Amino acid sequence: NAGVTQTPKFQVLKTGQSMTLQCAQDMNHEYMSWYRQDPGMGLRLIHYSVGAGITDQGEVPNGYNVSRSTTEDFPLRLLSAAPSQTSVYFCASSLLTREQETQYFGPGTRLLVL
Amino acid sequence: SQQGEEDPQALSIQEGENATMNCSYKTSINNLQWYRQNSGRGLVHLILIRSNEREKHSGRLRVTLDTSKKSSSLLITASRAADTASYFCATDGFFGAQKLVFGQGTRLTINP
């Protein structure tokens, strides 16, 4: 199993550009999420999904869109990039139960917005 | 807003010593997890402790949880150079079971 994969590993954008960060998992996990990590900070939840066709906002959703058309994929879209979105983005997946489950993280995408 | 706060923010010790990191949180939780992040990499799950547990062990790791004080500690015994990493606690309850809220982390450096 590849686990959770993310592409690209690094991206530079100009202010106002759009892009999609890709995330895929091969563990048949229902729950997937996106976090951002700013320097010296912990991770903050952007959006999450509890299954195909179901998404919801996390702590810092503004400026980001998500969709979940399949169990495996959970892309994150930046419609109009801003310098404040410079960060490292992590995708995670887990089983969806009533209990807290171990989250499996991807290697991250480092984004720089100029 | 961050749910968990780690203390200290940075810790430097000699190889073979024990390392203790603390985490405090604000709201009631069902579970608390600890994760490790090596520089420039994703997070790796270390251990999960449920709110009805007080202590849990996994290899050289020992985690305690005091729900009355809303705090947890992570002890790494007999530290190794490979333990150099950032350690984060993560709690649920603020947004829901799977929606973890992370602290700012403790940066641990093991000196040879």
Side-chain angles (χ1 to χ4, degrees), chain B residues 6-53:
Chain B
E6 280 94 342
D7 172 59
Q9 291 189 353
L11 179 61
S12 181
I13 61 174
Q14 295 300 119
E15 194 167 18
E17 294 180 338
N18 295 341
T20 299
M21 290 157 274
N22 302 297
C23 168
S24 61
Y25 55 91
K26 298 175 183 176
T27 64
S28 297
I29 63 170
N30 297 309
N31 307 280
L32 184 144
Q33 299 188 43
W34 284 90
Y35 285 81
R36 183 186 74 229
Q37 183 181 35
N38 290 90
S39 181
R41 308 289 294 274
L43 277 71
V44 175
H45 178 259
L46 294 176
I47 198 165
L48 181 153
I49 186 166
R50 303 201 186 278
S51 59
N52 61 355
E53 298 175 310

Side-chain angles (χ1 to χ4, degrees), chain A residues 1-2 7 10-13 17 19 21 24 29 33 35 40 51 53-54 57 59 63 75-76 84 92 99 104 110 114:
Chain A
N1 287 350
T7 57
F10 181 71
Q11 183 71 47
V12 179
L13 291 179
Q17 286 185 319
M19 80 160 295
L21 281 64
H29 285 165
S33 56
Y35 292 87
I54 306 171
Q57 298 179 349
E59 183 184 359
L76 178 72
S84 61
E99 300 290 329
Y104 295 84
R110 194 172 296 270
L114 302 174

Side-chain angles (χ1 to χ4, degrees), chain B residues 71-110:
Chain B
S71 66
S72 173
S73 68
L74 170 66
L75 169 67
I76 304 174
T77 60
S79 63
R80 306 167 181 169
D83 295 328
T84 293
S86 291
Y87 292 82
F88 295 90
C89 68
T91 56
D92 68 348
F94 196 77
F95 293 110
Q98 311 299 340
K99 297 178 279 295
L100 300 181
V101 180
F102 287 82
Q104 294 180 333
T106 292
R107 174 68 187 167
L108 176 64
T109 301
I110 309 298

